[in-house]
């Protein structure tokens, strides 16, 4: 495994502005979003608007990823994604969500999720997760991926590759009539082949006009995830696999989640809609 030193919090720059013409989600400026009470199954118009949001989120993530290199700060990656979304008429969904101060999450190495972009400088050998969500047309599109920065050790490279594969396998398992827990069963069984931990307390989620609708998508085989998938349901799958334990600690910022053993972790995510025969990925560039 990489001999990189562990991460420490950096300095957070001031909140970036969003043009006034861009529609804000209802939770901006509030401590928490209004609980979602609508359906998990979306109509064709909502799904079409989610395709637009998902495409912008995927393009913003890809644009930020082009800048991943040793010496670049995570705050610079935030700037790139922020400006891309604003330039395309979308609001960065994370900005102001429960007080989150930035327009995407940057989670490096031992950070499982929700890392805050700051003055942290990327190093040769880091692995970097970018989590980008765009809000446009009254709906959200959410995706993330883990990227290699420079010359990455083989163990970390394989973790990234296999985490991507676990998401691909989970997407293929989506079928109307199946219970949600088939998703976690597929991910967990694949991860166990390599001795990886599967993070349990951070999950996929329902998404539509709400960033997090209340529908939970576990990435392990949960006996409680018995909701039956139906055409038109929209949700994310976003497995987080670790080189060690799935246990975690949280930094004092209340957001940054790190593996308890400080071993590396990777994540990939797409927003999906259940179709008559399987799943359509809505977060494609």
């Amino acid at each position: 495994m990489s001999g990189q030193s562990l991460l420490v919090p950096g300095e957070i720059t001031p909140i970036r502005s969003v043009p006034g013409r861009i529609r804000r989600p209802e939770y901006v400026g509030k401590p928490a979003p209004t609980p979602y009470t609508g359906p998990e199954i979306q109509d064709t118009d909502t799904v079409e608007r989610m395709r637009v949001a998902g495409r912008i989120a995927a393009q913003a993530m890809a644009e930020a990823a082009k800048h991943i290199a040793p010496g670049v700060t995570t705050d610079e990656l935030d700037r790139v994604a922020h400006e891309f979304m604003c330039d395309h008429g979308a609001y960065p969904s994370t900005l102001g969500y429960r007080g989150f101060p930035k327009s995407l999450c940057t989670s490096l190495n031992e950070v499982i999720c929700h890392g805050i972009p700051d003055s942290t400088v990327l190093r040769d050998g880091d692995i970097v997760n970018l989590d980008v969500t765009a809000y446009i047309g009254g709906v959200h599109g959410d995706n993330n991926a883990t990227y290699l920065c420079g010359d990455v050790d083989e163990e970390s490279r394989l973790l990234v590759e296999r985490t991507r594969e676990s998401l691909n396998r989970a997407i293929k398992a989506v079928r109307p009539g199946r219970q949600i827990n088939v998703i976690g069963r597929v991910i967990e069984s694949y991860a166990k082949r390599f001795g990886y931990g599967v993070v349990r307390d951070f999950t996929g989620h329902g998404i539509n006009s709400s960033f997090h609708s209340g529908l939970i998508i576990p990435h392990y085989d949960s006996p409680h995830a018995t909701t039956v998938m139906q055409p038109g349901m929209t949700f994310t799958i976003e497995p987080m696999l670790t080189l060690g334990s799935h246990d975690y600690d949280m930094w004092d910022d209340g957001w940054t989640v790190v593996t308890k053993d400080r071993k590396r972790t990777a994540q990939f995510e797409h927003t999906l809609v259940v179709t008559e025969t399987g799943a359509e990925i809505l977060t494609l560039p």
Side-chain angles (χ1 to χ4, degrees), residues 171-220:
I171 292 170
K172 290 176 182 176
V174 172
R175 290 283 188 283
R178 290 181 175 176
Q179 293 183 344
I180 290 289
N181 57 16
V182 69
I183 294 168
R185 189 174 307 133
V186 165
I187 292 168
E188 188 172 40
S189 63
Y190 180 71
K192 281 184 174 179
R193 288 169 50 181
F194 310 104
Y196 295 155
V198 180
V199 173
R200 301 167 79 90
D201 289 352
F202 299 90
T203 67
H205 52 89
I207 184 170
N208 38 66
S209 60
S210 172
F211 195 170
H212 299 86
S213 72
L215 178 66
I216 301 298
I217 312 295
H219 302 122
Y220 63 97

Side-chain angles (χ1 to χ4, degrees), residues 26 32 36 75 81 105 114 119 123 125 161 170 176 199 245 258 265 273 277:
E26 59 83 22
Y36 179 70
D75 186 68
C105 300
H114 304 159
S119 61
R123 302 164 297 181
E161 179 182 301
V199 173
S245 169
V258 295
T265 175
V273 60
T277 57

Side-chain angles (χ1 to χ4, degrees), residues 48-58 134-136 139-141 282:
E48 179 55 37
R49 286 183 283 124
M50 289 182 68
R51 285 191 187 96
V52 174
R55 182 167 61 248
I56 292 172
Y135 178 79
I136 189 172
V139 295
H140 301 268
L282 299 178

Side-chain angles (χ1 to χ4, degrees), residues 29-50:
K30 296 164 53 178
T34 302
Y36 179 70
T37 56
E40 297 296 349
I41 297 171
Q42 307 305 311
D43 59 27
T44 54
D45 174 68
T46 302
V47 172
E48 179 55 37
R49 286 183 283 124
M50 289 182 68

